């Protein structure tokens, strides 16, 4: 029979009827209930508790029965003599006093109180303190139905887990059936199930499956969707840690007490019930039981390791004793017995571990629930590290390799994490050789193609460890090394160490081939810090970097610039190429790549001297350092990145860790920037002189000018001829190259130079020289005829378009030419505006003329669009500064030409796409005049300005929509997406089928898909701007049709397309601020509509207004007067007040 533990007062005793209960005087130990003991007669909870307390305190069971049992007591117990009555009253009085003294302390004993609540009568006046169970909301609910209270003891705050485990072991020694019943009910409670087993179920372990099946069926009827182990409820924040911590403590305590070896029933019974639950069809049962079983396995591994360590120590003691001259045989015998006992215990623990592995892990590592699979991976990794002599074998490690192909990303991530732990220890290399050979291909595949970026980065780090062990094949090293060109920054960052180590290996091998590092140092001499022009060993490191990058470049000889070209014939300057991305990675891992002066000196060195002498170590070294053409391009990219990083570090170094700027730091940063500016001003012309003939290297050198701090250059009072010489070199590159990359970079360099006012005069003169020479060349070529000079005309028009992008070209375009008697045509007297308009209408530039003719048309229309952009900007600036408004050239001629191109060209041809985009931009640009706000000074020009606000003709709108439909179909076809069926609608029909487009093959499928999406989004964005600007889809019988057509496939063509069309949605934030709605709409009503005849059809005047554009994030693409908020459009008096009242009335 179990002994009672009086940690909690037994309030079930009734000393005065049913209201006054006799209370125990002891409140320091936890009670153990006997309400389920089969050896105790359980008539009522009150009588059971009285007998239990009587046995513990030495008071006769018959004494307490006389107080409260009534007719249930025997006749002998109901007639005590007088002495017994006196003794009984004395002891009852002492117990009552003791209970009164300890009552305040018992109120804080959460676990004991909650343990007894389940068997106390309703009249019990001792209540559980609510604060003790506040952090455990869900467990507190379950405890109310728990008859044993072990769950409450574990998850309450009153006792430590060590104390709870010790108490359970005491109960096990007293009544193992009751204790095991408590433990199994705890496991069931942890699943979130309120049901429980009884002692009869525990006594029959063969019936565990059927009993758990019954519990499972009954639990399913409750339809729980959550369980404590995965619940995000506040009360379950520490549930997992507490649950696993208890079982760890319980097994450790059993090990310390010896029960784990002397009483096998503990672990065997737990295995029977928990392993059965781990195979349940219900996820809460299966997951919770698996976690508990694996936790027990983790603890058993630690126990086995501890036993093995102690056994080893004992063995060493025995061996030491045997080596003594006078051997103590009794001690040796005792130590041998301890060793044998240790071996027996370890074998027994390993046997229990193997049972868990066979019954739980083998079935659950491939469970349908990914969380359970991840739990198994973590446990196996722990077992291998904790008990390597057992689990560091191929039959166990292979499970990690199999799970590498798991479909759940966190599970794969856990496998990589566990493998990293194993490969960190170099002593494990021999054991991992077979595993690596078997699963190496899968690891490389994960590093290159896994869908999760974090897993790819972690796998690269793991492969770096494998590479250090020598278990990675050369082909695999190259495959991982190519990730230096990867588009994901995290992957590139992870591959830094891998790539740097490869470079170091290649560098060391090369030095050995050249006679070793010591021999080269003796040959070349010691490196001087500031002497970057003389050969040095560091050059060989840069050479190795260039060779490795060239070998890793998967795109080979393919021109990288093609991926930067857009349909309009312009180049997206500033876009990072794959070489730029690789250079950023290299600078982080290779110290030599951070020294931009070293790279510049290496590039500028003339290796032609080495060709004259073909003998000697010096010549051999120089010949080995000689760069190939593509290696020069790579090093120039690294040079650009290195310069940018150095200047950025200088700026960031001005502040310390606390964010404060000190004078010393500022001076140091300033010195670095000044030195870099002076050095770059000298190096850039030298680089242009050497590499300016090739377009690839010339564009890379021109990018260096973008980071040149001209402000510092001017403050140092350098000779202006140095800066003028630099601009002359840039102009030379602009005029001698026809490559779009070079033209774009040179134009950006000129634009960067014009940002500094002190250098505006010098820069402006150089830009004007470019204009004069370019226009003169175009006139000469036009007079000579297009046929034989089409390539030169194309290059010249390209230059004009790039110049128009970076400088105000109004005066240049409007300037009339001088008469020249030698020229047959009138091109010499025609201004550039008319010249370009005539050029794009020239019959020789028909669709059959080829790509060069198409490029001429595209570049010319782009230049004309820039001219009108500068025109609108000048009008806006004149209004802002209250100056006379300049003359405005009409754009009707250009618009008619563009419409002709749209009609005559194929629906997806580059000319038609450029013409459609230019037409939309042109009308939208002048549509901003609708909202322009004129002061009283400019009222006379109101009508003239308003005449430029026009709608795109309806036939042209049909053509625009047809072009959009063709692009939509093209992207849907390339991306394998389905489109919504088009209704019978003339506007939606496509007169030309785009399905006849050529497919470039699978190798370029992704690139073609991205280009198709880019074209579609660009066209859609221009149409959205035109709709918001009310130049299309604004009037006529088909009003709103284009808007509906754009939105038809909004959710079918990707997130980018959807985001573009989201600007057509009505703002949703306006109705929320009802109190200020009138004020907002009053502001929106101020601009006056130009076309008054349509005012009745457009009552919501705020649509497309300035505020509306700003809300849609489109106002930045418009030219709007920031100061004219009070004046209405046209400045007509009285209209503002009328429209305010009209809007407010709505």
């Amino acid at each position: 029979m179990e002994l009672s533990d009086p940690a909690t007062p037994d309030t079930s005793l009734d000393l005065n009827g049913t209201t006054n209960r006799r209370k125990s005087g002891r409140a320091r130990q936890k009670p153990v209930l006997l309400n389920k003991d089969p050896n105790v007669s359980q008539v009522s909870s009150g009588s059971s508790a009285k007998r239990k307390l009587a046995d513990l305190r030495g008071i006769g069971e018959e004494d307490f029965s006389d107080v409260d049992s009534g007719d249930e007591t025997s006749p002998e117990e109901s007639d005590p003599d007088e002495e017994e009555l006196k003794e009984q009253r004395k002891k009852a009085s002492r117990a009552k006093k003791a209970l009164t003294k300890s009552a305040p302390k018992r109120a804080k004993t959460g676990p004991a109180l909650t343990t007894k609540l389940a068997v106390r009568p309703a009249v019990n006046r001792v209540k559980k303190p609510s604060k003790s169970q506040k952090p455990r909301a869900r467990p507190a609910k379950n405890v109310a139905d728990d008859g044993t209270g072990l769950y409450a003891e574990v998850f309450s705050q009153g006792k430590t887990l060590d104390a709870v485990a010790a108490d359970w072991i005491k109960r096990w020694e007293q009544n193992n059936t009751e204790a095991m019943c408590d433990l199994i009910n705890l496991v069931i409670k942890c699943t979130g199930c309120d049901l429980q087993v009884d002692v009869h179920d525990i006594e029959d372990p063969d019936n565990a499956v059927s009993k758990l099946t019954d519990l499972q069926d009954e639990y399913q009827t409750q339809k729980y969707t959550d369980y404590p182990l995965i619940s995000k409820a506040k009360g379950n924040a520490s549930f997992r840690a507490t649950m696993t911590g208890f079982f760890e403590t319980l097994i450790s305590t059993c090990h310390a007490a010896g029960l784990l070896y002397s009483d096998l029933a503990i672990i065997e019974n737990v295995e029977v019930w928990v392993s059965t639950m781990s195979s349940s069809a219900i996820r809460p049962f299966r997951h919770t039981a698996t976690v508990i079983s694996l936790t027990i396995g983790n603890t058993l591994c630690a126990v086995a390791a501890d036993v093995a360590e102690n056994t080893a120590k004992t063995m060493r003691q025995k061996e030491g004793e045997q080596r003594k001259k006078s051997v103590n045989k009794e001690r040796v015998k005792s130590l041998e017995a301890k060793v044998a006992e240790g071996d027996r215990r370890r074998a027994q623990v390993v046997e229990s571990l193997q049972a868990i592995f066979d019954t739980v892990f083998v079935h659950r590592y491939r469970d349908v629930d990914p969380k359970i699979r991840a739990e198994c991976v973590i446990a196996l990794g722990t077992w291998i590290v904790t008990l390597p002599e057992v689990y560091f074998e191929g039959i166990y490690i292979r499970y990690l390799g199999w799970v590498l192909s798991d479909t759940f990303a966190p599970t794969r991530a856990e496998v990589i994490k566990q493998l990293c732990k194993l490969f960190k220890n170099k002593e494990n290399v021999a054991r991992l050789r077979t595993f690596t050979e078997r699963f190496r291909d899968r690891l490389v595949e994960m590093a290159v193609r896994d869908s999760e970026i974090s897993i790819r980065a972690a796998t690269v780090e793991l492969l770096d460890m494998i590479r250090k062990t020598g278990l990675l094949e050369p082909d695999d090293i190259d495959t991982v090394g190519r990730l230096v060109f990867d588009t994901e920054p995290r992957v590139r960052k992870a591959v830094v160490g891998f790539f740097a180590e490869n470079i170091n290996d290649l560098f060391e091998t090369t030095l050995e081939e050249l006679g070793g590092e010591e021999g080269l140092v003796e040959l070349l001499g010691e490196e001087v810090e500031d002497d970057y022009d003389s050969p040095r060993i560091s050059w060989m490191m840069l050479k190795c970097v260039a060779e490795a990058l060239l070998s890793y470049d998967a795109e080979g000889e393919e021109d990288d610039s093609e991926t930067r070209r857009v349909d309009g014939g312009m180049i997206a300057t500033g876009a990072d190429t794959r070489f730029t991305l690789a250079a950023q990675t290299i600078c982080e891992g290779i110290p030599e790549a951070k020294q931009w002066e070293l790279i510049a000196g290496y590039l500028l060195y003339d290796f032609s001297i080495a060709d004259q002498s073909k003998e000697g170590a010096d010549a051999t070294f120089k010949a080995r350092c000689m760069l190939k053409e593509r290696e020069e391009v790579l090093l120039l990219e690294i040079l650009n990145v290195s310069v940018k990083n150095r200047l950025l570090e200088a700026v960031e170094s001005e502040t310390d860790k606390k964010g404060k700027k000190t004078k010393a730091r500022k001076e140091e940063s300033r010195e670095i920037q000044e030195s870099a500016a002076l050095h770059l001003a000298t190096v850039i012309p030298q680089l242009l002189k050497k590499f300016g003939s090739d377009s690839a290297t010339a564009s890379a050198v021109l990018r260096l000018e973008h980071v040149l701090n001209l402000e510092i250059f001017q403050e140092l009072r350098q000779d202006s001829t140095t800066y003028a010489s630099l601009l002359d070199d840039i102009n030379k590159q602009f005029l001698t190259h026809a490559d779009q990359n070079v033209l774009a970079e040179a134009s950006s360099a000129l634009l960067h130079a014009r940002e500094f006012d002190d250098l505006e005069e010098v820069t402006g003169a150089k830009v004007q020289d470019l204009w004069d020479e370019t226009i003169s060349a175009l006139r000469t070529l036009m007079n000579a005829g297009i046929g034989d000079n089409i390539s030169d005309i194309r290059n010249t028009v390209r230059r004009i378009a790039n110049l128009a992008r970076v400088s105000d070209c109004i005066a240049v375009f409007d300037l009339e030419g001088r008469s020249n008697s030698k020229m047959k045509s009138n091109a010499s007297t025609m201004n550039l505006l008319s010249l370009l308009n005539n050029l794009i209408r020239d019959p020789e530039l028909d669709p059959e003329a080829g790509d060069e003719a198409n490029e001429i048309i595209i570049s010319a229309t782009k230049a004309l669009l820039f001219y009108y952009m500068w025109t609108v900007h000048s009008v806006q600036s004149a209004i802002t500064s209250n100056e006379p408004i300049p003359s405005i050239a009409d754009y009707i001629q250009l618009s008619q030409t563009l419409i002709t191109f749209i009609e005559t060209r194929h629906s997806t041809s580059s000319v038609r796409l450029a013409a459609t985009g230019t037409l939309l931009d042109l009308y939208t640009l002048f549509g901003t005049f609708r909202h322009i706000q004129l002061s009283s000074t400019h009222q006379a020009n109101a009508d003239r300005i308003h005449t430029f606000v026009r709608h795109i003709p309806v036939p042209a709108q049909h053509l625009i929509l047809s072009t959009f439909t063709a692009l939509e179909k093209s992207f849907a076809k390339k991306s394998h997406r389905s489109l919504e069926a088009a209704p019978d609608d003339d506007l939606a029909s496509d007169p030309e089928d785009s399905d006849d487009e050529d497919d470039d093959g699978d190798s370029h499928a992704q690139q073609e898909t991205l280009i198709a999406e880019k074209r579609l989004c660009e066209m859609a964005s221009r149409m959205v701007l035109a709709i918001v600007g009310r130049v299309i889809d604004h009037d006529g019988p088909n009003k709103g049709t284009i808007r509906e057509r754009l939105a038809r496939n909004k959710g079918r063509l990707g997130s980018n397309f959807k985001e573009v069309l989201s600007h057509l949605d009505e703002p949703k934030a306006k109705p929320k601020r009802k109190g200020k709605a009138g004020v907002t709409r009053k502001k929106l009503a101020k601009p006056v509509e130009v076309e008054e005849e349509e005012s009745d059809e457009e009552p919501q005047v705020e649509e497309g207004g300035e505020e509306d554009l700003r809300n849609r994030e489109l106002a930045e693409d418009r030219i709007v007067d920031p100061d004219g908020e009070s004046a209405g459009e046209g400045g007509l008096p009285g209209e503002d007040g009328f429209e305010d009242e009209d809007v407010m009335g709505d």
Side-chain angles (χ1 to χ4, degrees), residues 3 21 73 145 248 252 273 314 372 379 455 496 522 540 550 684 829 842 884 934 1037 1041 1077 1125 1139:
L3 293 179
R21 301 287 182 180
T73 59
D145 300 328
E248 291 174 357
S252 300
W273 287 91
T314 306
I372 297 179
I455 295 180
V496 167
E522 183 178 353
M540 186 55 64
L550 194 60
I684 292 176
T829 60
D842 195 293
L934 301 176
T1041 306
E1125 293 186 358
E1139 289 198 6

Side-chain angles (χ1 to χ4, degrees), residues 681-743:
T682 306
V683 166
I684 292 176
Q686 296 176 3
L687 292 172
L688 286 175
K689 182 178 180 180
K690 183 175 182 179
F691 300 106
S693 58
D694 183 73
S695 59
T697 54
S699 60
V701 175
L702 288 172
R703 279 200 296 276
L704 287 173
E705 197 276 340
H706 303 172
V707 299
L708 180 61
N709 194 335
L710 298 177
E711 184 178 358
I712 292 179
F713 188 82
Q714 182 68 14
E715 289 177 0
L716 294 176
R717 300 182 181 276
Q718 296 294 312
D719 188 2
S720 60
T721 57
T722 304
Y723 177 66
S725 177
L726 177 60
L727 291 180
D728 287 336
D729 291 333
I730 295 174
N731 286 6
K732 181 181 178 181
Q733 297 297 321
F734 187 86
L735 293 173
T736 56
H737 282 282
D739 184 77
Q740 282 281 26
N741 289 300
V742 179
L743 295 177

Side-chain angles (χ1 to χ4, degrees), residues 437-501:
E437 293 176 353
R438 184 174 182 181
F439 297 102
R440 180 176 54 236
D441 294 340
R442 173 56 186 160
L443 290 173
V444 174
E445 183 184 16
M446 290 177 65
V448 177
R449 299 188 185 91
D450 198 278
S451 58
E452 293 293 327
I453 305 303
S454 58
I455 295 180
R456 292 182 61 194
T459 308
V460 169
E461 295 177 358
L462 173 61
L463 289 172
D464 191 24
M465 299 178 189
I466 298 176
R467 184 197 58 79
K468 293 178 182 178
T469 63
L471 299 178
L472 209 58
E473 295 294 329
D475 293 341
D476 297 329
I477 293 176
D478 293 341
T479 301
V480 179
R482 290 189 183 95
L483 294 178
V484 75
F485 294 106
D486 199 87
T487 57
E488 292 295 336
R490 293 173 63 182
V491 177
R492 294 199 305 273
K493 184 176 181 180
V495 85
V496 167
F498 189 97
F499 182 82
E501 291 297 330

